Amino acid sequence: MALVLAGIYVLFSALRFQDVSAQMVQMDSGKSGFVGSQVELRCIFINSNPPVKISQVTWQKLLNGSKQNVAIANPALGVSVLPPFKERVSFKQAAVRHRTPSLEDTTIFFNNLQLYDEAAYICEYTTFPAGNRENMVNLTVFARPMTRMTLTTPTIVARPQRRKMTVATCVSANGKPPSVIKWDTRLKGEATFQETRNQNGTVTVRSNYVLLPGRETHKQKLTCIVTYRNERFSDSVVLNVQHEPQVKIEGFDSNWYLNRQNVQLTCQADANPPVTVYQWKLLNGSLPSNVEIRNNSLFFKGPVTYDLAGTYVCHATNGIGTRTSMVDVNITEKPMARGPPGGVIGILGGIVAIGLIIGVAVTVVMVHRRQQKTRTETDNDLTDLPPAHKPAPPPPKKKNSDMKGHLTSDDIQVVHLDKEQEIHKLPLQPPYYDIAPSESTAFTDKSNSGHKDCEVQYAELDTAALASSPSPRSCAQSGPGDLVETLGIIRKSR
């Protein structure tokens, strides 16, 4: 009997432990929301099997190790929300608000969320006979920053001393977490950044844009870009920079000649604010009498004369300062020669012609080098040939009769001797010999390789044949004291 009772007790205890271990409080691990928004904190009791009875549910705030009651739900006493949450915390389920014993879902709403609401929140169930069950959720509160961009002053003045200054400021105030600021502009400046941590946990980020103001910065766009978590804000301004006039004189085209009509000079000024006063003067003299001043222009009446020559000066003044420009005017007697129309076409034509000349020169050089290379290779190949493959010997000598039939006056060379004894000094004409082959061969000396088919030949002269020739140099006389003409025949190169 004792053994039976012991077994029943063990079984009852196991079943009880299984039911208790199956009970749990279900919550989210973390929730977040922005300041001023609403957030839901879920709390659900799981596996509340009978005869487990929920006697009370308590919400508590856990901050820095201390607990603070937020709201209590009791089946008999109803719902109670404690200050300072009374106006902002409520239970989601209507059954809980109407004193019903059904307390399995005790989810609460946080309205008008504040930064100090950030903490860990505990949902605790008091049950019978299982005891207490609880869980916890971490609530994070974000603060969306207030972003603004402002100009340092509505009007920026570029002073003559040219100093850097802050022209715009971009602020992202009271953000949690802090924002990131960047600048987008074509201006050549630099940005400074500063973070300030506030007592409520937010951060204010400030960035200043610094540059050297001048004429080139006027009407330039400056954009501030603020990135907060996954959100992006931007704001832009256009700079209004006041600066001294930028002055130049137009109208003189370096072709003012005598009797030219309708010439003028204009003083152009880029200024902010606009130029209020223009002053003209002529260096080392006074303005010509035929000049008419109209606002920022000088009109010269009548034809151009030498009196108009000189250095003209224009002073332009606005509210910031005065700047000056000048031009040297010279007068010529006649108009300057103008280039023909289509100057661009002429330039292009010249470029094309130069290109063609360069191309032809390169082609000639390449052809010449190729010929030299071919000739060198040919000479080398002939030198290296074996005897069986060398060129044939030169053709046989021609007879004197053949030579006589082909003589011309250009083949005869006359040498004048003034004295009789010099006749004996003349060498006798040798018989016909070839001293050079009729064609250039491999036997030709390399120093003479530049001369092609050149033959120098000598032959005995038949004075009788010369006597019959109509040439004035064909007759030869010999005698004491007489002039003697000795004839030499040179066969010229083919």
Side-chain angles (χ1 to χ4, degrees), residues 215 243-247 269-273 275 316-318 320-323:
R215 183 178 62 91
H243 56 89
E244 293 178 331
Q246 186 77 12
V247 186
D270 179 13
N272 181 37
V275 174
T317 303
N318 68 349
I320 308 301
T322 301
R323 297 294 294 272

Side-chain angles (χ1 to χ4, degrees), residues 38-84:
Q38 182 188 76
V39 67
E40 177 183 296
L41 301 184
R42 190 167 62 95
C43 181
I44 300 175
F45 189 77
I46 303 298
N47 289 332
S48 177
N49 296 326
V52 175
K53 181 181 179 181
I54 301 174
S55 58
Q56 183 171 293
V57 178
T58 304
W59 277 92
Q60 294 177 311
K61 178 181 179 180
L62 178 61
L63 182 63
N64 298 327
S66 62
K67 294 182 179 179
Q68 179 184 7
N69 288 337
V70 176
I72 300 173
N74 188 288
L77 302 177
V79 173
S80 174
V81 180
L82 286 73

Side-chain angles (χ1 to χ4, degrees), residues 158-326:
R159 299 296 181 184
Q161 57 269 25
R162 303 281 287 174
R163 293 180 180 177
K164 289 185 178 181
M165 63 176 296
T166 299
V167 295
T169 300
C170 191
V171 178
S172 177
N174 304 322
K176 183 178 175 292
S179 305
V180 177
I181 298 178
K182 293 183 179 180
W183 295 90
D184 182 18
T185 182
R186 294 182 179 179
L187 294 167
K188 296 181 179 180
E190 56 188 16
T192 62
F193 299 93
Q194 179 184 2
E195 286 189 1
T196 303
R197 297 193 174 274
N198 305 313
Q199 293 182 353
N200 59 359
T202 61
V203 179
T204 298
V205 182
R206 178 187 299 270
S207 179
N208 295 328
Y209 199 82
V210 182
L211 55 76
L212 188 67
R215 183 178 62 91
E216 65 281 357
T217 60
H218 179 53
K219 294 184 178 181
Q220 291 295 319
K221 187 177 181 181
L222 184 60
T223 301
C224 169
I225 301 174
V226 178
T227 303
Y228 173 75
R229 302 185 72 208
N230 295 326
E231 301 175 356
R232 177 171 171 169
F233 311 91
S234 64
D235 195 4
S236 300
V237 294
V238 177
L239 301 184
N240 180 17
V241 181
Q242 293 187 349
H243 56 89
E244 293 178 331
Q246 186 77 12
V247 186
K248 63 178 179 179
I249 298 176
E250 298 178 349
F252 180 66
D253 57 0
S254 300
N255 192 26
W256 284 22
Y257 52 89
L258 293 179
N259 297 322
R260 179 177 172 177
Q261 300 287 335
N262 301 323
V263 295
Q264 69 180 52
L265 296 177
T266 302
C267 186
Q268 299 289 355
D270 179 13
N272 181 37
V275 174
T276 55
V277 177
Y278 288 96
Q279 291 181 333
W280 287 93
K281 66 169 60 175
L282 183 64
L283 289 182
N284 302 324
S286 58
L287 294 175
S289 58
N290 62 337
V291 170
E292 180 182 353
I293 301 177
R294 301 178 189 173
N295 296 328
N296 61 328
S297 297
L298 291 181
F299 291 89
F300 297 87
K301 299 179 180 179
V304 172
T305 62
Y306 286 118
D307 295 337
L308 272 59
T311 301
Y312 290 83
V313 180
C314 172
H315 300 283
T317 303
N318 68 349
I320 308 301
T322 301
R323 297 294 294 272
T324 301
S325 180
M326 61 181 61

Side-chain angles (χ1 to χ4, degrees), residues 406-424:
H406 297 83
L407 291 176
T408 63
S409 60
D410 293 336
D411 296 332
I412 301 173
Q413 189 176 27
V414 180
V415 180
H416 298 275
L417 298 179
D418 293 334
K419 295 182 180 180
E420 179 179 0
Q421 57 271 22
E422 292 182 359
I423 297 176
H424 301 286

Side-chain angles (χ1 to χ4, degrees), residues 141-163:
V141 181
F142 297 119
R144 184 176 284 106
M146 297 296 295
T147 301
R148 67 181 184 275
M149 180 183 179
T150 58
L151 288 170
T152 304
T153 58
T155 302
I156 303 168
V157 180
R159 299 296 181 184
Q161 57 269 25
R162 303 281 287 174
R163 293 180 180 177

